[in-house]
Amino acid sequence: MKRLIIICEGQSEVEFCKDVLMPFFSEKNIIIQTPLIKKSGGGIIPWQGLKKQIERHLQGTGVYVTTFFDYYGIPANYAFPKWSESLFQPDKIVRMNLLETAMKEDLNRDLSRRFIPYIQLHEFEGLLFNNIEVFQQNFTAREIVDFNGLETTIEAYQNPEMINDTIENAPSKRLERYILGYDKVLFGSMLAESIGLDRIRQKSFRFNNWIQELSEI
């Protein structure tokens, strides 16, 4: 079996990988491991530190490495390759592609061919705004404290990866407002399992492209 290491930003991403991605890749004879970004306890770190972790994992024979962290909230002084250049790209999809390519090009050339960089545009929680029925199946009417806000958000974004117009309206902040007692780690993976990987991929095309590329290693 092939081995794939998914370096995760936080526990929400780890649980999603274990509950949703692991069964999918297992069927393709790919074993996944989900270490957190080191030295952070959950959260992004400067590029040079992350780069060292990526290259350390790539030292394993035949192992592939990818990343799973949010673009949202990365400070400029973390010095990701071509960060300043990327800010001149108004199209955020183009911006993500530029940053991912720059990450790959900045690695040791002998190792980079087994590195598949991925930056989640905005937040992982954006993937959960897939359909209103999943929320109704998992939460009571009392727990969904702003049904109209939740439904409006889902209907407004054909691609839920694009949800994030202000700091207050980041996907996780919206869910905290819409769902009583929303817990990122506990409910994020639960909702993702209920939605199902196929439906998530149908709506979130950057995420879909990432999963497709990983499945072909």
Side-chain angles (χ1 to χ4, degrees):
M1 295 184 77
K2 296 177 181 177
R3 186 158 65 101
L4 171 66
I5 295 175
I6 305 176
I7 302 175
C8 296
E9 178 175 356
Q11 200 60 42
S12 297
E13 288 82 2
V14 169
E15 294 304 315
F16 172 79
C17 289
K18 288 181 177 178
D19 294 340
V20 180
L21 298 188
M22 191 172 288
F24 171 80
F25 285 114
S26 179
E27 291 182 357
K28 298 182 179 297
N29 292 315
I30 299 172
I31 297 173
I32 70 169
Q33 295 173 273
T34 56
L36 285 170
I37 294 174
K38 292 186 181 298
K39 300 181 181 179
S40 71
I44 195 63
I45 61 173
W47 166 244
Q48 286 303 316
L50 181 57
K51 176 182 176 180
K52 288 179 182 177
Q53 181 177 356
I54 293 167
E55 292 188 332
R56 191 178 305 116
H57 286 308
L58 285 168
Q59 299 293 335
T61 303
V63 66
Y64 287 79
V65 176
T66 188
T67 52
F68 190 17
F69 61 85
D70 303 335
Y71 173 72
Y72 171 80
I74 300 177
N77 64 2
Y78 278 15
F80 275 67
K82 296 192 177 178
W83 184 266
S84 296
E85 181 181 335
S86 74
L87 299 180
F88 291 97
Q89 293 290 345
D91 186 321
K92 290 184 179 178
I93 303 301
V94 174
R95 189 184 301 181
M96 295 306 101
N97 292 342
L98 188 154
L99 289 171
E100 289 170 350
T101 299
M103 288 167 60
K104 188 177 182 72
E105 291 175 346
D106 198 51
L107 294 189
N108 180 301
R109 186 173 298 180
D110 293 334
L111 301 176
S112 64
R113 61 185 178 81
R114 289 184 283 109
F115 176 54
I116 302 169
Y118 178 68
I119 303 173
Q120 178 67 47
L121 180 56
H122 303 315
E123 288 187 311
F124 153 73
E125 285 79 11
L127 302 176
L128 306 178
F129 288 86
N130 188 279
N131 64 86
I132 193 66
E133 291 79 12
V134 167
F135 287 91
Q136 292 173 309
Q137 291 163 5
N138 285 278
F139 299 103
T140 66
R142 185 183 68 84
E143 291 172 320
I144 304 177
V145 294
D146 187 355
F147 181 87
N148 288 337
L150 177 60
E151 187 174 44
T152 299
T153 300
I154 291 172
E155 292 177 350
Y157 291 90
Q158 185 174 1
N159 178 359
E161 292 173 303
M162 303 304 293
I163 299 172
N164 193 41
D165 44 10
T166 65
I167 293 175
E168 295 77 15
N169 283 323
S172 62
K173 298 299 183 184
R174 291 176 187 250
L175 288 171
E176 289 171 3
R177 290 202 306 271
Y178 301 155
I179 308 296
L180 182 66
Y182 183 79
D183 181 282
K184 290 180 62 169
V185 176
L186 177 63
F187 295 147
S189 181
M190 177 190 75
L191 286 168
E193 279 193 277
S194 295
I195 296 165
L197 185 59
D198 286 344
R199 283 203 291 182
I200 293 175
R201 295 179 67 180
Q202 286 169 12
K203 274 202 166 184
S204 303
F205 72 88
R206 286 197 81 253
F207 175 82
N208 174 63
N209 290 343
W210 177 52
I211 297 299
Q212 185 62 39
E213 187 172 4
L214 294 180
S215 69
E216 294 173 354
I217 62 173

